[in-house]
Amino acid sequence: MLTTKMLAATAIFLGAALASAQAGPIKVSVAAEPYPPFASLDASGKWVGFEVDLANLVCKAAKLDCEIVATAWDGIIPALTSKKIDVIWASMTITPERSQQIAFTIPYYNTPAEFIGNKDDKFEFTAEALKGKTIGVQTSTIHAQYVQKAYPDADIKTYGTQDAANADLAAGRLDLVLADAAALDDFLGGKDGTCCDVKTFPKDPIFDGGVGGGLRKEDTDLKAKLDEGIKAVYTSGDFATLEKKYFKYEVGTPPK
């Protein structure tokens, strides 16, 4: 018969073994849908882009062992709360509605939203003027929320990926597309975007929160480490270097 001490020792050993088995890199998730220049797959199947590089810099500064993974955008918050991933790092704007479900790091970048359309078309951006116009947005984004609120009589089409919306605009199936300016500028700079140009930059509080890393609310230690990592990347000048690599203008949000 096992003694009390032997039972206790066995329990400690099993607990340590279980903890060890559960240990592993922090799963930092981009969206599975390509969103250049923030995150996309290269020819070898590796995730690359501004947010991938930034995540690696932040994790290194925070002394965290991180693994870049991908999750479908429309299921990324459920994947976080069910512990399939540990951090959302996918151009997710901080909003009051999302903050009711999850926590966020301090903002790590912020760029304006912009409408783009065919170069030959002109628009007045009032609810009445855009009545019946066809606007493309990516599903489950603040851009989708904004057009549904601001232009209720427009024909709003939602897409699983930004690339699909851009392709429909280039093909003449949309009048306008609304998305993050940095992502759309990347499209406009390519051969498929020669059809179109920037029409206007909407101003609304929904765009003011900046982009942050999403976390479970109970993961306060991880949030603190990531916040410090973001600050360190800004302080070291690494963010400025990365910013110049990917963008023609400043996207940084200096940490407070």
Side-chain angles (χ1 to χ4, degrees), residues 73-89:
W73 172 253
D74 60 2
I76 205 165
I77 289 180
L80 175 70
T81 55
S82 63
K83 300 189 176 182
K84 293 177 181 177
I85 59 174
D86 301 304
V87 183
I88 296 171
W89 201 265

Side-chain angles (χ1 to χ4, degrees), residues 164-210:
N166 297 345
D168 266 7
L169 178 66
R173 289 187 285 269
L174 296 173
D175 294 303
L176 292 162
V177 159
L178 175 67
D180 185 276
L184 290 183
D185 286 354
D186 190 67
F187 164 70
L188 292 174
K191 59 181 176 55
D192 294 335
T194 57
C195 60
C196 304
D197 60 10
V198 178
K199 298 304 179 183
T200 193
F201 297 84
K203 303 297 182 183
D204 191 276
I206 196 172
F207 302 117
D208 293 343

Side-chain angles (χ1 to χ4, degrees), residues 32-87:
E33 300 80 4
Y35 194 57
F38 297 96
S40 58
L41 289 169
D42 67 9
S44 68
K46 180 182 177 183
W47 283 98
V48 296
F50 168 74
E51 282 191 290
V52 176
D53 289 350
L54 181 58
N56 288 327
L57 286 171
V58 169
C59 286
K60 182 178 179 181
K63 296 181 171 57
L64 294 171
D65 179 18
C66 297
E67 173 189 4
I68 302 296
V69 299
T71 309
W73 172 253
D74 60 2
I76 205 165
I77 289 180
L80 175 70
T81 55
S82 63
K83 300 189 176 182
K84 293 177 181 177
I85 59 174
D86 301 304
V87 183

Side-chain angles (χ1 to χ4, degrees), residues 43-228:
S44 68
K46 180 182 177 183
W47 283 98
V48 296
F50 168 74
E51 282 191 290
V52 176
D53 289 350
L54 181 58
N56 288 327
L57 286 171
V58 169
C59 286
K60 182 178 179 181
K63 296 181 171 57
L64 294 171
D65 179 18
C66 297
E67 173 189 4
I68 302 296
V69 299
T71 309
W73 172 253
D74 60 2
I76 205 165
I77 289 180
L80 175 70
T81 55
S82 63
K83 300 189 176 182
K84 293 177 181 177
I85 59 174
D86 301 304
V87 183
I88 296 171
W89 201 265
S91 292
M92 181 171 280
T93 302
I94 302 167
T95 67
E97 293 78 13
R98 288 172 176 158
S99 296
Q100 290 177 6
Q101 302 178 67
I102 62 175
F104 283 95
T105 65
I106 58 175
Y108 58 80
Y109 88 83
N110 194 18
T111 57
E114 68 184 17
F115 278 103
I116 64 172
N118 190 282
K119 288 179 178 177
D120 296 329
D121 293 338
K122 298 185 183 301
F123 300 93
E124 292 293 329
F125 286 87
T126 65
E128 181 61 27
L130 292 190
K131 182 177 180 180
K133 299 295 184 183
T134 307
I135 304 173
V137 286
Q138 187 175 4
T139 188
S140 302
T141 61
I142 59 169
H143 309 103
Q145 292 178 41
Y146 172 76
V147 294
Q148 287 161 0
K149 177 187 73 173
Y151 305 107
D153 296 321
D155 180 11
I156 299 165
K157 292 190 175 181
T158 58
Y159 294 81
T161 68
Q162 189 60 49
D163 283 348
N166 297 345
D168 266 7
L169 178 66
R173 289 187 285 269
L174 296 173
D175 294 303
L176 292 162
V177 159
L178 175 67
D180 185 276
L184 290 183
D185 286 354
D186 190 67
F187 164 70
L188 292 174
K191 59 181 176 55
D192 294 335
T194 57
C195 60
C196 304
D197 60 10
V198 178
K199 298 304 179 183
T200 193
F201 297 84
K203 303 297 182 183
D204 191 276
I206 196 172
F207 302 117
D208 293 343
V211 166
L215 306 109
R216 292 180 287 273
K217 290 196 173 187
E218 64 268 25
D219 290 344
T220 53
D221 288 346
L222 179 57
K223 170 179 162 50
K225 290 177 181 178
L226 289 172
D227 284 350
E228 289 306 310

